[in-house]
């Protein structure tokens, strides 16, 4: 037994939330895991964990050690992977989690191209608009559209992401076209509940953030259904750019208040910070970075061109 083994046991206990859960995850006995952690504390001469009969918590020095030890173990894993990957072709099952609407659009095309390029890799793609727990649900990588705040994950930025306020020409013909965000107060909104604000829509007026309460006409957890509702003239809809762009290009939807849209969030590939990063994950993430970069060069992306939202370069 060496220091690395003890560190691995300590990390497993913290991430699993207890000795029993860590034992199940690592296929080792609870007594052995407990011994590893105790030996590590004895080696360091400090207490890393506060233990009670009901809960487990990190001491102050334990928190610092947890962060540093995790980074050390990750570097060891990365080094081993880089050596192995130079001698073998990536292979095996890659489990991916992604938002449903994005998987049905851009990401679906990217994954098909990836599978053609990597014949030794199989993909299990699960499309779900909730944030999955990558470790507990055994996903290798997740695609997320968000302002990333979870420091326990490694994230690689793939592309900017923008939403756009839209309505149908028929809907706008029956009312005054909004000129500023406050013109939307009390107006019928098509609410995509995947947005954190739900019916409170945020806009940017210069450096000021403005939040406008909408009157929900329909609430749905699907940007695709929200787009259909907007096309039927049921209200204003805030849609992801990749969902709305074709209807904007052919005039079935109109972009509104473009100068007031909030700053872009981003699309990320994320994977657990301390999980073994296999060659199949690395090659997949590298492929996505190149694929999105190629899309941007063709003018076909998740973010509208800077000149006009309606300016669209066809994907073909």
């Amino acid at each position: 037994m060496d220091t690395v083994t003890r560190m691995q046991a300590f990390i497993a206990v913290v991430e699993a939330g207890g000795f029993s859960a860590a034992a199940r995850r690592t296929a080792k006995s609870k007594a052995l895991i407990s011994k590893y952690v105790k030996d590590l504390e004895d080696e360091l001469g400090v207490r890393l964990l506060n233990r009670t009969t009901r809960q487990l918590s990190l001491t102050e020095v334990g928190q610092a050690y947890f962060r540093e030890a995790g980074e050390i173990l990750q570097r060891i894993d990365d080094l081993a992977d880089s050596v192995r990957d130079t001698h073998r072709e990536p292979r095996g099952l890659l489990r991916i989690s992604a938002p449903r609407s994005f998987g049905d659009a851009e990401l679906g095309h990217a994954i098909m191209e990836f599978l053609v390029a990597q014949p030794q890799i199989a993909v299990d793609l699960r499309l779900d608009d909730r944030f999955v727990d990558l470790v507990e649900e055994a996903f290798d990588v997740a695609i997320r559209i968000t302002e990333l705040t979870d420091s326990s994950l490694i994230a690689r930025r793939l592309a900017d992401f923008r939403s756009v306020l839209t309505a149908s020409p028929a809907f706008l013909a029956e009312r005054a076209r909004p000129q500023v965000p406050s013109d939307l107060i009390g107006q019928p909104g098509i609410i995509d509940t995947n947005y954190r604000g739900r019916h409170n829509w945020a806009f940017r007026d210069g450096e000021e953030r403005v939040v406008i309460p909408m009157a929900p006409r329909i609430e749905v957890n699907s940007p695709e259904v929200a787009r259909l509702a907007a096309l039927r003239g049921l209200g204003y809809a805030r849609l992801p750019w990749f969902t709305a762009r074709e209807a904007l290009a052919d005039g079935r939807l109109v972009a509104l208040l473009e100068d007031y849209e909030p700053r872009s969030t981003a699309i990320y590939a994320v994977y657990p910070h301390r999980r073994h990063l296999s060659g199949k994950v690395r090659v997949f993430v590298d492929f996505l970075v190149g694929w999105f970069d190629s899309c941007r060069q063709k003018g076909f992306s998740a973010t509208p061109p800077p000149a006009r939202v309606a300016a669209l370069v066809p994907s073909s």
Side-chain angles (χ1 to χ4, degrees), residues 15-284:
E15 291 185 335
F19 288 91
S20 296
R24 289 192 297 271
R25 182 177 294 180
T26 60
K28 294 181 174 63
S29 70
K30 178 181 176 182
L32 185 58
I33 293 293
S34 180
K35 181 180 186 306
Y36 286 166
V37 174
K38 181 180 183 304
D39 288 346
L40 179 63
E41 290 180 322
D42 290 344
E43 178 186 346
L44 297 171
V46 296
R47 179 177 291 277
L48 299 173
L49 295 169
N50 292 314
R51 306 164 177 83
T52 68
T53 56
R54 294 194 173 186
Q55 66 180 21
L56 190 74
S57 63
L58 286 164
T59 64
E60 183 176 354
V61 68
Q63 291 176 348
Y65 189 84
F66 175 70
R67 289 193 299 269
E68 296 295 331
E71 292 177 4
I72 291 170
L73 292 178
Q74 184 65 56
R75 287 198 292 271
I76 291 173
D77 279 349
D78 288 345
L79 176 60
D81 281 341
S82 66
V83 172
R84 284 193 291 264
D85 290 346
T86 60
H87 297 285
R88 71 182 186 197
E89 186 177 6
R91 64 181 64 240
L93 179 64
L94 182 66
R95 299 194 72 237
I96 306 167
S97 171
R100 179 174 299 278
S101 57
F102 197 50
D104 290 339
E106 263 76 357
L107 185 64
H109 295 294
I111 289 177
M112 298 311 111
E113 291 187 23
F114 173 74
L115 287 170
V116 170
Q118 296 290 336
Q120 300 301 318
I121 295 179
V123 164
D124 179 1
L125 175 62
R126 302 299 176 93
L127 301 178
D128 196 327
D129 289 322
R130 67 185 177 88
F131 270 26
V132 302
D133 186 316
L134 272 68
V135 175
E136 290 297 326
E137 300 180 52
F139 283 102
D140 296 298
V141 62
I143 309 303
R144 291 183 175 171
I145 301 172
T146 185
E147 295 177 6
L148 200 67
T149 58
D150 189 344
S151 60
S152 69
L153 298 174
I154 294 178
R156 191 161 178 189
R157 189 184 184 102
L158 302 176
D160 290 336
F161 172 82
R162 282 282 302 276
S163 60
V164 56
L165 180 69
T166 68
S168 70
F171 178 81
L172 294 173
E174 299 176 354
R175 65 203 70 234
R177 181 168 176 155
Q179 301 300 313
V180 293
S182 59
D183 291 341
L184 296 172
I185 295 176
Q187 292 296 309
I190 300 165
I191 311 301
D192 182 352
T193 57
N194 291 306
Y195 282 104
R196 291 183 179 179
R198 302 226 170 182
H199 62 272
N200 293 311
W201 289 355
F203 295 89
R204 178 172 54 88
D205 188 356
E207 294 301 315
E208 183 180 356
R209 184 173 182 268
V210 179
V211 178
I212 303 299
M214 302 295 293
R217 179 74 193 279
I218 176 175
E219 298 187 47
V220 60
N221 65 336
S222 165
E224 178 60 25
V225 175
R227 182 185 69 90
L228 294 176
L231 289 171
R232 293 299 300 271
L234 296 180
Y236 296 100
R238 174 165 271 172
L239 301 174
W241 163 246
F242 61 81
T243 300
R245 64 168 167 247
E246 290 185 5
L248 291 169
D250 62 24
R252 290 177 294 151
L253 289 177
V254 177
L256 304 165
L257 301 181
E258 299 171 64
D259 293 337
Y260 295 92
E261 278 296 328
R263 292 182 177 87
S264 301
T265 54
I267 304 166
Y268 294 92
V270 301
Y271 41 95
H273 183 59
R274 295 177 178 88
R275 189 174 180 178
H276 173 73
L277 183 62
S278 65
K280 63 187 177 184
V281 174
R282 184 177 291 105
V283 73
F284 175 64

